[in-house]
Amino acid sequence: MEGIKGRIPILDLTPEVEELWDHLMAAITRVLRSGQFILGPEVEAFEREVAEYLGVRHAIGVNSGTDALVIGLRALGIGPGDEVITTPFTFFATAEAISLVGATPVFVDIDPKTFNINPELIPAAITPRTKAILPVHLYGCPADMDPILALAEEHGLKVLEDSAQAFGATYRGRKVGTLGHAGAFSFFPSKNLGAYGDGGLLVTNDDGVAEVARMLRAHGSRRKYHNEMVGYNSRLDALQAAILRVKLPHVDRWNAQRREVASRYNQLLAGIPGVVVPEISEGHVFHQYTVRILGGRRDEVQKALAEAGIGTMVYYPVPLHLLPVYGYPEGILPMAEGAAKEALSMPMFPNLSPGLLAKVVQHIKELLLE
Ligand SMILES: *Cc1c(COP(=O)(O)O)cnc(C)c1O
């Protein structure tokens, strides 16, 4: 973990590979010997297992989390002329998917405590064109779903959960991604359940949505060469499915370890002026451990930590409404804009040792208490 010259990376995927090596090799060998590389029995088995884990009727393996969002939106009937309410403080793919289906993202500001969309601000953004709400469970922290679902019910809107960063997270005891009409997951390698390449998943309890999504991932066809709609080539690989089947039984333990790492950080960082630590809320799976550095010192702290060999990241330096592709003026979503200036994500992975974690905190203390 502490690699070249005592560096502490923000993320280290190698311990998990070592831990599972024999099982991974067996799974990969099984796929190579099967001669079936796209969809097929391995993907079907993963879809069954992951649906059972999440407690949802349908799980549809696709190429990426981005495709899961695009296919999810289309399967929910979202298209040109529609507006979709979402958060500006997320990875670009959230809004990109809305734009890709021809709809317009309508950005609503965040709750500064959780970094997630603030449900209280959603009603003012609803227009006759609004068709859906797309909350994001950012950093693994469940968005406040009850008021979002109530608003959706009241206004006849669909809810698609961007759960890319929150595999295994729960909201009032239920897995996120299964609370709305559909949920999108990413298996990008760094995610809490990561493949060793690209992969994604759409989940839903709605049989009709599942049927359309299955068609869309395979060129809009139920039956080969009998295409019924214009879809995508967006299927999950058998190799990635086999790898995910090895990793799925471990994800709860890894998520629990992430929560332990977060609470250790919180204890050690408590009381340092100018640092705001995240709440260890129920069901949070800490895809990222993200603090706020106040007083305009975030970039300085990041630079100093980098010089000490400690990897951190700013997720995200530009809220989506300010990106040139959307081009809204600065000042309209102050909470997201503030978060973009103050958020700093620390090294976070399941087996980050207490010793290395203490080193990270020590460096921050030296900087801010000097
Ligand atoms: C990773 C991520 C995505 C996209 O997933 P890919 O598999 O990389 O396409 C979408 N939304 C959020 C919030 C993400 O973190």
Side-chain angles (χ1 to χ4, degrees):
M1 249 180 298
E2 194 166 12
I4 312 156
K5 286 190 248 146
R7 280 174 194 284
I8 306 174
I10 185 164
L11 170 69
D12 187 356
L13 295 172
T14 56
E16 125 203 327
V17 172
E18 291 307 324
E19 179 195 336
L20 300 175
W21 185 264
D22 291 344
H23 301 284
L24 290 167
M25 286 305 130
I28 290 166
T29 307
R30 183 175 72 235
V31 173
L32 296 186
R33 294 229 160 94
S34 77
Q36 285 230 42
F37 300 112
I38 306 279
L39 297 179
E42 204 70 55
V43 173
E44 284 163 24
F46 172 66
E47 288 177 341
R48 271 196 309 276
E49 289 159 12
V50 77
E52 192 184 334
Y53 170 86
L54 292 170
V56 71
R57 267 174 82 79
H58 303 281
I60 299 130
V62 296
N63 241 338
S64 68
T66 306
D67 279 9
L69 289 167
V70 169
I71 290 171
L73 285 166
R74 278 195 60 194
L76 290 172
I78 313 302
D82 297 339
E83 290 176 359
V84 178
I85 291 172
T86 193
T87 167
F89 197 60
T90 175
F91 180 55
F92 182 59
T94 310
E96 187 182 34
I98 297 168
S99 299
L100 277 171
V101 304
T104 304
V106 173
F107 298 109
V108 165
D109 212 352
I110 60 168
D111 174 345
K113 268 178 67 190
T114 62
F115 298 102
N116 281 327
I117 194 167
N118 182 347
E120 286 175 15
L121 303 177
I122 292 176
I126 296 175
T127 77
R129 289 174 168 237
T130 307
K131 289 288 156 54
I133 306 174
L134 205 175
V136 179
H137 307 293
L138 197 75
Y139 306 147
C141 177
D144 191 6
M145 290 302 292
D146 279 349
I148 292 171
L149 294 170
L151 280 169
E153 175 90 38
E154 184 188 335
H155 295 272
L157 310 176
K158 303 292 186 194
V159 175
L160 173 62
E161 295 170 72
D162 183 339
S163 313
Q165 300 189 4
F167 190 93
T170 56
Y171 179 83
R172 301 197 196 288
R174 288 163 66 199
K175 294 283 191 317
V176 305
T178 69
L179 302 155
H181 298 90
F185 291 92
S186 165
F187 301 128
F188 186 80
S190 66
K191 303 292 159 96
N192 287 30
L193 177 63
Y196 298 138
D198 275 312
L201 189 77
L202 185 75
V203 301
T204 181
N205 284 310
D206 184 312
D207 296 347
V209 170
E211 190 178 10
V212 176
R214 281 188 194 283
M215 285 168 61
L216 285 173
R217 77 169 168 185
H219 301 287
S221 64
R222 252 176 278 247
R223 217 164 26 115
K224 236 183 185 175
Y225 312 126
H226 295 264
N227 310 69
E228 294 166 55
M229 51 205 302
V230 176
Y232 310 90
N233 173 359
S234 184
R235 301 158 305 201
L236 184 63
D237 290 2
L239 265 176
Q240 300 306 340
I243 287 161
L244 290 164
R245 289 181 73 198
V246 172
K247 295 179 71 175
L248 179 62
H250 301 277
V251 77
D252 281 345
R253 173 171 53 89
W254 290 331
N255 281 343
Q257 287 174 325
R258 286 174 179 273
R259 285 176 63 87
E260 277 170 34
V261 169
S263 79
R264 198 168 297 127
Y265 265 128
N266 272 15
Q267 279 163 27
L268 296 181
L269 288 168
I272 301 181
V275 181
V276 180
V277 300
E279 196 186 321
I280 318 263
S281 55
E282 190 199 327
H284 193 328
V285 292
F286 287 92
H287 173 60
Q288 299 296 340
Y289 178 82
T290 304
V291 300
R292 282 174 186 265
I293 306 287
L294 307 179
R297 299 190 67 186
R298 193 266 316 272
D299 294 347
E300 171 201 339
V301 168
Q302 182 177 38
K303 191 160 166 277
L305 289 173
E307 279 160 12
I310 296 166
T312 62
M313 287 291 281
V314 174
Y315 302 114
Y316 295 90
V318 187
L320 303 188
H321 66 289
L322 298 183
L323 288 172
V325 279
Y326 295 119
Y328 290 94
E330 203 162 340
I332 58 168
L333 301 171
M335 296 305 156
E337 292 167 26
K341 294 190 178 91
E342 293 175 348
L344 188 63
S345 298
M346 301 287 155
M348 165 54 85
F349 40 95
N351 36 25
L352 176 61
S353 74
L356 292 188
L357 188 154
K359 270 194 192 174
V360 175
V361 173
Q362 192 51 40
H363 280 286
I364 296 171
K365 274 194 174 150
E366 279 165 20
L367 279 163
L368 296 178
L369 292 176
E370 70 192 6

Short mmCIF file of all heavy atoms in Angstrom, two decimals, residues 51-82:
data_model
loop_
_atom_site.label_atom_id
_atom_site.label_comp_id
_atom_site.label_asym_id
_atom_site.label_seq_id
_atom_site.Cartn_x
_atom_site.Cartn_y
_atom_site.Cartn_z
N ALA A 51 -29.20 -9.10 -8.69
CA ALA A 51 -30.60 -8.73 -8.43
C ALA A 51 -31.01 -9.21 -7.04
O ALA A 51 -31.69 -8.50 -6.29
CB ALA A 51 -31.52 -9.33 -9.49
N GLU A 52 -30.57 -10.41 -6.69
CA GLU A 52 -30.90 -10.95 -5.37
C GLU A 52 -30.22 -10.11 -4.27
O GLU A 52 -30.84 -9.76 -3.27
CB GLU A 52 -30.45 -12.40 -5.28
CG GLU A 52 -31.03 -13.08 -4.05
CD GLU A 52 -30.53 -14.50 -3.87
OE1 GLU A 52 -30.15 -15.13 -4.89
OE2 GLU A 52 -30.49 -14.96 -2.72
N TYR A 53 -28.95 -9.77 -4.49
CA TYR A 53 -28.23 -8.96 -3.50
C TYR A 53 -28.93 -7.62 -3.28
O TYR A 53 -29.07 -7.16 -2.14
CB TYR A 53 -26.78 -8.74 -3.97
CG TYR A 53 -26.05 -7.72 -3.12
CD1 TYR A 53 -25.41 -8.10 -1.94
CD2 TYR A 53 -26.04 -6.37 -3.47
CE1 TYR A 53 -24.78 -7.16 -1.14
CE2 TYR A 53 -25.42 -5.42 -2.68
CZ TYR A 53 -24.78 -5.83 -1.52
OH TYR A 53 -24.17 -4.89 -0.73
N LEU A 54 -29.34 -6.99 -4.39
CA LEU A 54 -29.94 -5.65 -4.27
C LEU A 54 -31.40 -5.71 -3.85
O LEU A 54 -31.94 -4.71 -3.37
CB LEU A 54 -29.81 -4.90 -5.61
CG LEU A 54 -28.39 -4.52 -6.04
CD1 LEU A 54 -28.39 -4.01 -7.48
CD2 LEU A 54 -27.79 -3.46 -5.12
N GLY A 55 -32.02 -6.86 -4.03
CA GLY A 55 -33.44 -6.98 -3.71
C GLY A 55 -34.30 -6.30 -4.76
O GLY A 55 -35.14 -5.46 -4.44
N VAL A 56 -34.07 -6.65 -6.03
CA VAL A 56 -34.78 -6.00 -7.13
C VAL A 56 -35.15 -7.07 -8.15
O VAL A 56 -34.48 -8.10 -8.24
CB VAL A 56 -33.88 -4.88 -7.74
CG1 VAL A 56 -32.70 -5.44 -8.51
CG2 VAL A 56 -34.67 -3.90 -8.59
N ARG A 57 -36.23 -6.84 -8.91
CA ARG A 57 -36.71 -7.86 -9.85
C ARG A 57 -35.79 -8.07 -11.04
O ARG A 57 -35.54 -9.20 -11.44
CB ARG A 57 -38.09 -7.44 -10.40
CG ARG A 57 -39.25 -8.00 -9.64
CD ARG A 57 -40.55 -7.40 -10.17
NE ARG A 57 -41.04 -8.08 -11.35
CZ ARG A 57 -41.68 -9.25 -11.34
NH1 ARG A 57 -41.89 -9.85 -10.18
NH2 ARG A 57 -42.10 -9.81 -12.44
N HIS A 58 -35.31 -6.96 -11.62
CA HIS A 58 -34.54 -7.07 -12.87
C HIS A 58 -33.19 -6.38 -12.75
O HIS A 58 -33.13 -5.24 -12.26
CB HIS A 58 -35.29 -6.42 -14.03
CG HIS A 58 -36.65 -6.99 -14.25
ND1 HIS A 58 -36.87 -8.19 -14.89
CD2 HIS A 58 -37.87 -6.52 -13.89
CE1 HIS A 58 -38.16 -8.44 -14.93
NE2 HIS A 58 -38.80 -7.45 -14.32
N ALA A 59 -32.15 -7.05 -13.20
CA ALA A 59 -30.82 -6.45 -13.30
C ALA A 59 -30.31 -6.71 -14.71
O ALA A 59 -30.30 -7.85 -15.16
CB ALA A 59 -29.87 -7.04 -12.26
N ILE A 60 -29.92 -5.65 -15.41
CA ILE A 60 -29.54 -5.75 -16.82
C ILE A 60 -28.11 -5.23 -16.96
O ILE A 60 -27.85 -4.04 -16.77
CB ILE A 60 -30.53 -4.93 -17.68
CG1 ILE A 60 -31.94 -5.50 -17.51
CG2 ILE A 60 -30.13 -4.93 -19.15
CD1 ILE A 60 -32.98 -4.47 -17.19
N GLY A 61 -27.21 -6.13 -17.29
CA GLY A 61 -25.80 -5.77 -17.42
C GLY A 61 -25.55 -5.03 -18.71
O GLY A 61 -25.98 -5.46 -19.79
N VAL A 62 -24.86 -3.89 -18.61
CA VAL A 62 -24.54 -3.08 -19.79
C VAL A 62 -23.06 -2.71 -19.77
O VAL A 62 -22.31 -3.14 -18.89
CB VAL A 62 -25.44 -1.82 -19.87
CG1 VAL A 62 -26.91 -2.21 -20.04
CG2 VAL A 62 -25.27 -0.93 -18.64
N ASN A 63 -22.68 -1.91 -20.78
CA ASN A 63 -21.27 -1.59 -21.02
C ASN A 63 -20.61 -0.67 -20.00
O ASN A 63 -19.40 -0.71 -19.83
CB ASN A 63 -21.21 -0.85 -22.36
CG ASN A 63 -20.37 -1.60 -23.35
OD1 ASN A 63 -19.54 -2.40 -22.95
ND2 ASN A 63 -20.57 -1.34 -24.61
N SER A 64 -21.41 0.20 -19.38
CA SER A 64 -20.84 1.21 -18.48
C SER A 64 -21.96 1.83 -17.66
O SER A 64 -23.15 1.65 -17.99
CB SER A 64 -20.15 2.32 -19.29
OG SER A 64 -21.11 3.07 -20.00
N GLY A 65 -21.58 2.58 -16.65
CA GLY A 65 -22.56 3.32 -15.87
C GLY A 65 -23.23 4.40 -16.71
O GLY A 65 -24.42 4.66 -16.54
N THR A 66 -22.45 5.01 -17.58
CA THR A 66 -23.02 6.04 -18.46
C THR A 66 -24.12 5.44 -19.33
O THR A 66 -25.21 6.00 -19.45
CB THR A 66 -21.90 6.63 -19.36
OG1 THR A 66 -20.84 7.08 -18.52
CG2 THR A 66 -22.42 7.77 -20.20
N ASP A 67 -23.84 4.27 -19.93
CA ASP A 67 -24.86 3.61 -20.74
C ASP A 67 -26.06 3.20 -19.90
O ASP A 67 -27.20 3.24 -20.38
CB ASP A 67 -24.28 2.37 -21.44
CG ASP A 67 -23.50 2.75 -22.70
OD1 ASP A 67 -23.27 3.95 -22.91
OD2 ASP A 67 -23.11 1.83 -23.46
N ALA A 68 -25.83 2.79 -18.67
CA ALA A 68 -26.96 2.42 -17.80
C ALA A 68 -27.88 3.63 -17.61
O ALA A 68 -29.11 3.49 -17.61
CB ALA A 68 -26.45 1.91 -16.46
N LEU A 69 -27.30 4.82 -17.48
CA LEU A 69 -28.11 6.04 -17.34
C LEU A 69 -28.87 6.35 -18.62
O LEU A 69 -30.07 6.64 -18.60
CB LEU A 69 -27.21 7.24 -16.97
CG LEU A 69 -26.63 7.24 -15.56
CD1 LEU A 69 -25.51 8.28 -15.44
CD2 LEU A 69 -27.71 7.53 -14.52
N VAL A 70 -28.17 6.26 -19.76
CA VAL A 70 -28.80 6.55 -21.06
C VAL A 70 -29.94 5.56 -21.33
O VAL A 70 -31.06 5.96 -21.67
CB VAL A 70 -27.75 6.49 -22.20
CG1 VAL A 70 -28.42 6.52 -23.56
CG2 VAL A 70 -26.74 7.63 -22.06
N ILE A 71 -29.64 4.29 -21.15
CA ILE A 71 -30.64 3.25 -21.42
C ILE A 71 -31.79 3.36 -20.41
O ILE A 71 -32.96 3.22 -20.76
CB ILE A 71 -29.97 1.86 -21.41
CG1 ILE A 71 -29.08 1.73 -22.66
CG2 ILE A 71 -31.00 0.74 -21.35
CD1 ILE A 71 -28.19 0.50 -22.68
N GLY A 72 -31.45 3.67 -19.17
CA GLY A 72 -32.48 3.84 -18.15
C GLY A 72 -33.42 4.99 -18.49
O GLY A 72 -34.64 4.85 -18.41
N LEU A 73 -32.85 6.12 -18.89
CA LEU A 73 -33.69 7.27 -19.25
C LEU A 73 -34.60 6.90 -20.42
O LEU A 73 -35.81 7.16 -20.40
CB LEU A 73 -32.81 8.48 -19.62
CG LEU A 73 -32.15 9.19 -18.44
CD1 LEU A 73 -31.05 10.13 -18.93
CD2 LEU A 73 -33.18 9.98 -17.63
N ARG A 74 -34.04 6.28 -21.45
CA ARG A 74 -34.86 5.94 -22.62
C ARG A 74 -35.92 4.91 -22.26
O ARG A 74 -37.07 5.01 -22.71
CB ARG A 74 -33.98 5.45 -23.77
CG ARG A 74 -33.39 6.63 -24.53
CD ARG A 74 -32.80 6.24 -25.86
NE ARG A 74 -33.76 5.65 -26.80
CZ ARG A 74 -33.40 5.00 -27.90
NH1 ARG A 74 -32.11 4.86 -28.20
NH2 ARG A 74 -34.31 4.51 -28.70
N ALA A 75 -35.56 3.93 -21.45
CA ALA A 75 -36.54 2.90 -21.07
C ALA A 75 -37.66 3.50 -20.22
O ALA A 75 -38.78 2.99 -20.21
CB ALA A 75 -35.84 1.76 -20.31
N LEU A 76 -37.37 4.61 -19.54
CA LEU A 76 -38.41 5.30 -18.76
C LEU A 76 -39.20 6.27 -19.62
O LEU A 76 -40.09 6.97 -19.12
CB LEU A 76 -37.77 6.05 -17.57
CG LEU A 76 -37.20 5.18 -16.45
CD1 LEU A 76 -36.44 6.04 -15.44
CD2 LEU A 76 -38.29 4.39 -15.74
N GLY A 77 -38.86 6.33 -20.90
CA GLY A 77 -39.63 7.16 -21.82
C GLY A 77 -39.19 8.61 -21.88
O GLY A 77 -39.94 9.47 -22.33
N ILE A 78 -37.98 8.90 -21.44
CA ILE A 78 -37.48 10.28 -21.47
C ILE A 78 -36.82 10.53 -22.81
O ILE A 78 -36.01 9.72 -23.28
CB ILE A 78 -36.44 10.53 -20.35
CG1 ILE A 78 -36.91 9.98 -19.00
CG2 ILE A 78 -36.06 12.00 -20.27
CD1 ILE A 78 -38.20 10.54 -18.49
N GLY A 79 -37.13 11.67 -23.43
CA GLY A 79 -36.56 11.97 -24.74
C GLY A 79 -36.60 13.45 -25.05
O GLY A 79 -36.74 14.28 -24.13
N PRO A 80 -36.45 13.80 -26.33
CA PRO A 80 -36.39 15.20 -26.76
C PRO A 80 -37.56 16.02 -26.23
O PRO A 80 -38.70 15.56 -26.24
CB PRO A 80 -36.43 15.11 -28.29
CG PRO A 80 -35.83 13.76 -28.59
CD PRO A 80 -36.28 12.87 -27.46
N GLY A 81 -37.23 17.21 -25.75
CA GLY A 81 -38.25 18.12 -25.23
C GLY A 81 -38.51 17.98 -23.75
O GLY A 81 -39.12 18.85 -23.13
N ASP A 82 -38.07 16.89 -23.16
CA ASP A 82 -38.30 16.66 -21.73
C ASP A 82 -37.23 17.34 -20.88
O ASP A 82 -36.10 17.54 -21.33
CB ASP A 82 -38.28 15.15 -21.42
CG ASP A 82 -39.39 14.40 -22.12
OD1 ASP A 82 -40.39 15.05 -22.52
OD2 ASP A 82 -39.26 13.18 -22.29
#
